[in-house]
Amino acid sequence: MKPSDHPDPFKQARTEQGVSEIDDQDDPVQMVLRLKDVRKCAHNWKTYSSEATPGRIVVPSEVNIRDTRQIPFEVDPPKHGAFRELLDPWFKRPLQDEYRDKLREQISALINEVNQRDSIEAIYGFSLLLQSHALTVLMNTPESEAETFISWGTHVFRSEDDPLDAGKAQQLYDYIDQKIDEAEASPSDDLFSTLLAAEVDGARLTREQIKGIIILTFAGGRDTVINMVTNTLAYLADHPESLQRLRDEPEIRTRAIEELIRYFSPLTHMGRVATEDAQVCEHAVKADSRISLCWASANRDETVFENPNEVVLDRKLNPHVAFGFATHNCLGATHARTIMQVLIDELCQQVDHIDFLSADENIEQWGEFARKVGYHKLNLAFHSV
Amino acid sequence: MAKITFITKDEHTIVCEADSGSVMELAVQNGVKGIDGDCGGVCSCATCHVHVAPDSVARVGEAGEIEKDMLELDDEANERSRLCCQLEVSDELDGIVLHVAH
């Protein structure tokens, strides 16, 4: 095994049972492990609802640290559609040249900087910085705000030793309150002001709804993006031939990005609450109990993907669910994909190879499953072209 | 060179020409409304769903299994549905008509 590998801990349970129950703060979760079942459940929002008590569809559950409903994430159709219609144009801005150019400037400068150093710790010395600066582009706030985001660390709800840190969550809520106040006093063209001026179904958004949208923007794209970037660096350090291939064959970069996202699956799973008694591959699901859609397991489903545990850079058919599926697919996916496109382009242009020095893996424990989601520490040395 | 006609949900007709690439890429390049191609063409996002016009079906052919599984869960799917990222532009496709599903 190579140090950048991410083994699949779900294989046996996926092939033998298809579903596996884990406990989470006395509110158990049946993890759905096969791709087709995950897709079917994700599609069936009437039976598997996202509109439960705020925080309950997240695993580990956030009901004890959060009252604000994240929007549109914790809202079901038809209301969900109205919010998505409002937010989609904003979250599709990464397709514009101007947006891409801003990201390119940030990422290019960052790579130039790490190229000069003897070695770096990639999470705090690269990925956290990249994610925080890119977030200012997504929210259209001054780039100096990135310093505040960096000071929060890698997760907005969790700290090093506490998977659910209420104090940390409060820091984010206070920041959001302050920014909404500022936007009310002097409107600009950032996300806060845009939401203050927006209407859904003919009514202005409430302050609580605006907070729900902003919390989602911060929480959904924090450790996911950080892990995606860190894991990509680890992979390219460990596979210099892949960096060379991406440099030589720019036409495969789009496929390579989807493949890396499939392989890493930065979000392991997301929950739903059953609205009625139901069944997933012959396992009973009781009304008001939780299931989770395990994207990470589905993306290694051997009945769909050939050589599921290998990174096949030019994989042509890649029906992965790393960004979720159906109604609640990832609002930030365009931002994430654009970050990856710019990152790969700039690495190909500026970096000859990266040395993989040492790493401390971040292993999540879900019941019987130990899953590598990324790294606590990753030491790398960049070498410029 | 293949000439391919897209008809959008709001009944705009866009005629495009190409000799290579995927039909999805052709649609995105020409700003065909309702074809997003978010995943870049690897059959993951289902944002390039079209209904093939009845008299074009024979030339376009059937969806593969993975594509069919994707389409099965799309509320707009019918027996003429395809994800057009899986259609390679070729002379074979010259003259086909595709109705955008979303």
Side-chain angles (χ1 to χ4, degrees):
Chain A
M1 208 176 100
K2 293 185 70 115
S4 70
D5 285 356
H6 289 242
D8 169 24
F10 303 108
K11 181 174 177 157
Q12 193 181 357
R14 180 177 58 242
T15 49
E16 289 175 8
Q17 298 112 48
V19 168
S20 181
E21 186 170 302
I22 60 166
D23 184 42
D24 169 30
Q25 301 163 69
D26 298 322
D27 188 5
V29 181
Q30 296 203 61
M31 296 176 76
V32 180
L33 301 172
R34 295 175 184 158
L35 179 67
K36 283 181 193 177
D37 293 328
V38 165
R39 277 217 207 109
K40 270 186 203 156
C41 294
H43 181 249
N44 185 3
W45 56 267
K46 283 183 182 154
T47 302
Y48 301 111
S49 172
S50 293
E51 202 166 322
T53 309
R56 194 173 171 213
I57 63 166
V58 184
V59 192
S61 170
E62 293 169 356
V63 289
N64 295 320
I65 57 161
R66 170 157 73 83
D67 299 316
T68 302
R69 181 172 297 283
Q70 290 186 12
I71 297 174
F73 170 63
E74 293 175 311
V75 180
D76 281 330
K79 238 173 152 187
H80 171 272
F83 284 114
R84 228 14 225 256
E85 208 171 302
L86 165 71
L87 295 171
D88 273 338
W90 184 274
F91 283 85
K92 292 269 183 192
R93 286 159 49 253
L95 297 174
Q96 298 166 6
D97 288 341
E98 192 195 348
Y99 191 105
R100 198 174 289 255
D101 290 344
K102 275 190 200 166
L103 283 186
R104 195 173 296 281
E105 214 173 287
Q106 293 178 352
I107 293 173
S108 169
L110 186 56
I111 293 175
N112 184 45
E113 196 195 311
V114 297
N115 264 342
Q116 322 282 325
R117 305 242 223 114
D118 292 338
S119 71
I120 61 153
E121 193 291 298
I123 296 161
Y124 287 88
F126 193 94
S127 309
L128 174 64
L129 310 182
L130 188 160
Q131 189 277 341
S132 298
H133 283 267
L135 183 59
T136 65
V137 185
L138 180 61
M139 303 212 308
N140 205 29
T141 54
E143 199 179 342
S144 54
E145 292 296 302
E147 296 311 317
T148 306
F149 307 157
I150 292 163
S151 74
W152 293 341
T154 54
H155 200 289
V156 294
F157 290 134
R158 304 176 201 179
S159 49
E160 284 283 293
D161 45 4
D162 187 353
L164 294 167
D165 185 335
K168 227 179 151 196
Q170 194 56 48
Q171 191 177 33
L172 171 66
Y173 302 153
D174 290 346
Y175 174 84
I176 293 172
D177 266 324
Q178 183 203 328
K179 287 293 156 186
I180 297 175
D181 287 344
E182 286 174 22
E184 262 171 347
S186 57
S188 66
D189 51 4
D190 66 8
L191 180 58
F192 298 96
S193 300
T194 304
L195 293 176
L196 277 168
E199 288 184 3
V200 162
D201 294 334
R204 285 289 178 92
L205 298 177
T206 64
R207 193 181 179 95
E208 185 70 2
Q209 287 173 327
I210 293 174
K211 283 170 76 169
I213 294 166
I214 304 279
I215 293 171
L216 174 66
T217 307
F218 274 99
R222 188 61 165 180
D223 49 339
T224 49
V225 170
I226 289 170
N227 283 330
M228 174 182 79
V229 170
T230 310
N231 294 343
T232 299
L233 295 179
Y235 168 79
L236 293 174
D238 207 13
H239 295 268
E241 76 286 357
S242 293
L243 179 58
Q244 191 55 44
R245 185 169 176 208
L246 290 166
R247 197 180 346 259
D248 295 341
E249 300 174 52
E251 66 280 5
I252 68 161
R253 288 180 196 168
T254 306
R255 283 182 191 168
I257 288 164
E258 295 303 315
E259 174 66 348
L260 290 169
I261 293 170
R262 174 193 74 86
Y263 184 76
F264 301 138
S265 295
L267 182 67
T268 301
H269 57 165
M270 186 48 68
R272 297 287 190 266
V273 174
T275 55
E276 58 188 336
D277 286 346
Q279 263 196 347
V280 179
C281 67
E282 293 167 5
H283 295 263
V285 177
K286 284 244 175 315
D288 198 41
S289 73
R290 298 198 292 167
I291 64 163
S292 84
L293 312 170
C294 188
W295 321 116
S297 168
N299 283 340
R300 301 292 181 97
D301 191 327
E302 49 283 300
T303 67
V304 179
F305 301 98
E306 257 176 64
N307 303 321
N309 298 315
E310 276 171 41
V311 175
V312 180
L313 283 180
D314 59 351
R315 193 183 286 276
K316 196 176 172 196
L317 269 179
N318 193 350
H320 71 79
V321 286
F323 289 117
F325 185 76
T327 310
H328 287 285
N329 64 10
C330 177
L331 183 62
T334 314
H335 179 67
R337 284 180 164 122
T338 307
I339 286 175
M340 282 294 274
Q341 287 159 11
V342 174
L343 176 65
I344 296 289
D345 285 353
E346 289 301 313
L347 288 171
C348 286
Q349 203 168 331
Q350 294 193 53
V351 178
D352 181 74
H353 66 283
I354 306 169
D355 293 330
F356 192 116
L357 302 178
S358 61
D360 172 17
E361 295 186 340
N362 180 3
I363 310 283
E364 296 175 337
Q365 195 70 43
W366 305 104
E368 63 180 291
F369 307 115
R371 174 173 192 251
K372 174 177 167 184
V373 68
Y375 302 87
H376 290 302
K377 285 204 167 63
L378 174 67
N379 295 305
L380 302 173
F382 282 66
H383 299 275
S384 65
V385 288
Chain B
M1 189 66 87
K3 189 187 272 187
I4 293 171
T5 303
F6 297 93
I7 301 172
T8 62
K9 206 74 176 163
D10 49 9
E11 290 179 359
H12 281 286
T13 299
I14 300 143
V15 184
C16 312
E17 281 186 300
D19 44 25
S20 65
S22 80
V23 173
M24 178 278 288
E25 286 164 343
L26 181 66
V28 170
Q29 281 156 17
N30 287 278
V32 174
K33 198 173 152 193
I35 303 288
D36 296 335
D38 288 344
C39 74
V42 296
C43 203
S44 160
C45 69
T47 61
C48 63
H49 182 182
V50 294
H51 298 139
V52 180
D55 47 2
S56 303
V57 166
R59 264 179 300 157
V60 172
E62 262 196 54
E65 197 191 332
I66 283 176
E67 187 186 332
K68 273 187 184 157
D69 286 342
M70 289 290 287
L71 286 163
E72 190 191 1
L73 295 175
D74 192 311
D75 299 331
E76 297 297 323
N78 68 22
E79 69 285 359
R80 291 180 287 105
S81 285
R82 290 297 310 263
L83 295 175
C84 65
C85 70
Q86 298 304 306
L87 305 178
E88 281 295 319
V89 173
S90 69
D91 291 344
E92 190 81 346
L93 297 188
D94 185 37
I96 62 164
V97 176
L98 305 171
H99 296 265
V100 180
H102 290 277

